[in-house]
Amino acid sequence: MYKRILVTGGAGFIGSNFVRHVLGKFEDVYIVNLDLLTYAGSLENLRDLPNKENYHFIEGDILDQDLVQRTLREFEIDSLVHFAAESHVDRSILGPSAFVQTNILGTFSLLEAARKVWIEEKKLGDGDVRFHHISTDEVYGTLAPDDPAFEETTSYAPNSPYAASKASSDHLVRSYAHTYGMPTTLTNCTNNYGPYQFPEKLIPLMILNALNGKDLPIYGDGEQIRDWLYVEDHCEAIWQVLQKGCSGESYCVGGNNQPANLEIVDTLCEILDELKPSASGKNYASQKTFVTDRPGHDRRYAMKINKINQELGWEPKHNLKDGLLKTINWYLKQEEWIEAISKKKEYQSWMDENYTERTEEEK
Ligand code: NAD
Ligand code: DAU
């Protein structure tokens, strides 16, 4: 079992859930978390970690190859789980440069550091070390209504700068396995939701806007389809692939939940109406507003999860209703966390930049 893990981006949404999940489950696993603490990362996400004596945080950039090499040596790292990325599609449309830097060059920097320390210096190979790369279903592009779901053999066809940068990083990982014998695994996962998600993404944004009496901005006609997975289920899938997945392989991960965005927003509103009725006396759904669509908006994602299910026995444990209920209950209890984020200048400026230019559309 890999026990000395370097996690990158562990102060972000999925990374912090992964760190908490693993430390809570195994007493003999040591995690080093390397995170630059960009707008999306926060030490607040890592408060109250279980088994804290087995955890070490380094504030730093994955592009700093010397730092990564030193960390691999000093902490005798045997596995790297790479979450760090720019992760928001809308931001990649308004400013793609950071996505090329972090997602492509950042992944290259980590691969080079691992190649030098693990392969060249220490002559380690399959079974000794593992580079696990976290990727997305968005590398496969978009599906028409009757198209079969994505699977590991689907051709890459990324549509946004975000998706293209993730696709590039996937290809780099593949090439290091093929050319240098780097022991790699890769997971392509669908949309995650759950605790600690930054409220620029659909679900937390809608929860917070609803509670604050603001508009619920639905892009285009709201009939776009995503495949939603509760974050804890994703963390367990990553753990299974890291420990038991075959070197050189990629695994598709998804939630078997494929509602349209409008259905998600309506469900969130209904749950909130029950748990915390609006002071206005109206249903939260009355705050829904149709706004200008995202340019190049992918219409539909869906994922086949047969490979990970058959080879590793993984399947999602949460259905959408349970997951959303858990998520809303978590956000309702996080006044301090929400306040800290809402006060961040980067958050306010992003909300202005992304939403003020969008016009309200008739539906
Ligand atoms: P996030 O935006 O919440 O967190 C990203 C983290 O990376 C932050 O803590 C940030 O500080 C850190 N980071 C950014 N640049 C860095 C750098 N140069 N050096 C070190 N740290 C840096 O992202 P997330 O939603 O948790 O996504 C994590 C990973 O999972 C990403 O690779 C993303 O592409 C992938 N993914 C996300 C989803 C999803 O639905 N959120 C689904 C599939 C795959
Ligand atoms: O599919 C996996 C991907 O899921 C991950 O790789 C990305 O990191 C993650 O951000 C997510 O991308 P999406 O673009 O699908 O997620 P987002 O939450 O931004 O949007 C979900 C859907 O909701 C999408 O169809 C756009 C729509 N949307 C989003 C926002 C923020 C709205 O209608 N209104 C909004 O204000």
Side-chain angles (χ1 to χ4, degrees):
M1 179 165 127
Y2 299 107
K3 288 185 175 171
R4 299 192 63 81
I5 308 175
L6 173 59
V7 167
T8 69
F13 163 48
I14 309 174
S16 63
N17 276 284
F18 180 77
V19 170
R20 184 171 285 99
H21 181 79
V22 172
L23 288 177
K25 223 170 143 171
F26 302 97
E27 282 188 353
D28 55 348
V29 170
Y30 191 90
I31 293 185
V32 178
N33 178 7
L34 171 64
D35 195 298
L36 189 58
L37 298 181
T38 67
Y39 80 91
S42 168
L43 295 178
E44 297 290 311
N45 296 353
L46 294 154
R47 271 199 189 168
D48 309 321
L49 284 181
N51 220 357
K52 242 188 174 157
E53 60 282 7
N54 281 1
Y55 170 75
H56 182 81
F57 179 73
I58 300 173
E59 182 173 348
D61 195 332
I62 55 170
L63 280 149
D64 183 346
Q65 213 194 105
D66 286 342
L67 171 66
V68 180
Q69 286 191 32
R70 266 185 278 123
T71 307
L72 293 176
R73 288 188 200 104
E74 188 183 328
F75 291 90
E76 297 179 351
I77 295 297
D78 63 17
S79 49
L80 197 158
V81 181
H82 174 33
F83 294 95
E86 289 294 330
S87 67
H88 192 30
V89 174
D90 291 322
R91 285 186 192 256
S92 83
I93 294 167
L94 291 173
S97 167
F99 287 73
V100 172
Q101 282 294 321
T102 303
N103 300 0
I104 305 178
L105 296 180
T107 303
F108 171 66
S109 159
L110 293 173
L111 285 164
E112 272 296 274
R115 179 169 77 87
K116 283 187 182 135
V117 175
W118 283 347
I119 297 178
E120 284 185 0
E121 273 175 36
K122 300 192 172 182
K123 315 280 181 235
L124 298 171
D126 193 18
D128 305 317
V129 285
R130 174 63 63 83
F131 188 110
H132 182 75
H133 180 57
I134 311 292
S135 192
T136 170
D137 59 353
E138 301 204 8
V139 299
Y140 299 122
T142 188
L143 294 168
D146 297 326
D147 283 346
F150 302 132
E151 57 190 322
E152 289 79 5
T153 50
T154 305
S155 300
Y156 275 32
N159 286 323
S160 70
Y162 163 71
S165 68
K166 293 297 292 187
S168 300
S169 64
D170 292 9
H171 290 322
L172 281 169
V173 172
R174 180 189 154 89
S175 76
Y176 271 63
H178 190 79
T179 307
Y180 303 112
M182 173 79 71
T184 63
T185 37
L186 200 156
T187 37
N188 293 93
C189 187
T190 60
N191 287 61
N192 283 218
Y193 67 101
Y196 302 101
Q197 187 166 30
F198 194 81
E200 62 187 357
K201 308 282 165 59
L202 180 77
I203 288 179
L205 180 112
M206 292 296 168
I207 297 172
L208 265 56
N209 277 17
L211 294 171
N212 291 326
K214 294 185 181 162
D215 287 348
L216 307 180
I218 293 159
Y219 296 167
D221 63 3
E223 295 298 338
Q224 304 82 5
I225 289 173
R226 297 290 181 268
D227 182 322
W228 294 95
L229 179 68
Y230 191 66
V231 63
E232 211 174 279
D233 286 331
H234 186 191
C235 293
E236 184 54 29
I238 294 166
W239 181 255
Q240 296 293 332
V241 172
L242 174 70
Q243 299 297 348
K244 298 192 295 188
C246 279
S247 184
E249 291 292 313
S250 71
Y251 294 83
C252 285
V253 182
N256 287 335
N257 286 309
Q258 290 141 15
N261 292 343
L262 258 182
E263 197 183 325
I264 287 273
V265 177
D266 284 331
T267 310
L268 291 171
C269 289
E270 281 162 26
I271 299 175
L272 280 171
D273 284 336
E274 259 181 48
L275 296 183
K276 192 162 184 184
S278 166
S280 71
K282 294 185 191 157
N283 289 338
Y284 286 108
S286 64
Q287 293 166 226
K288 284 190 299 188
T289 313
F290 291 88
V291 298
T292 318
D293 206 351
R294 174 185 279 176
H297 199 168
D298 283 342
R299 195 69 181 164
R300 173 179 164 239
Y301 305 144
M303 198 65 119
K304 279 188 198 156
I305 56 170
N306 304 26
K307 179 173 173 180
I308 188 170
N309 179 250
Q310 282 160 18
E311 287 186 16
L312 307 180
W314 177 88
E315 62 183 356
K317 292 204 173 89
H318 294 79
N319 65 37
L320 191 58
K321 189 83 199 267
D322 295 344
L324 288 178
L325 196 60
K326 266 175 128 169
T327 305
I328 290 181
N329 271 315
W330 186 85
Y331 279 93
L332 286 176
K333 288 193 205 116
Q334 301 303 319
E335 275 173 30
E336 271 178 41
W337 186 87
I338 290 169
E339 178 147 340
I341 283 181
S342 314
K343 276 193 191 146
K344 280 189 177 179
K345 262 196 250 125
E346 302 100 311
Y347 183 61
Q348 270 320 318
S349 55
W350 169 250
M351 295 304 277
D352 292 344
E353 194 184 348
N354 190 42
Y355 291 98
T356 37
E357 295 290 305
R358 288 180 196 271
T359 49
E360 202 168 314
E361 315 254 308
E362 283 304 315
K363 176 90 199 328

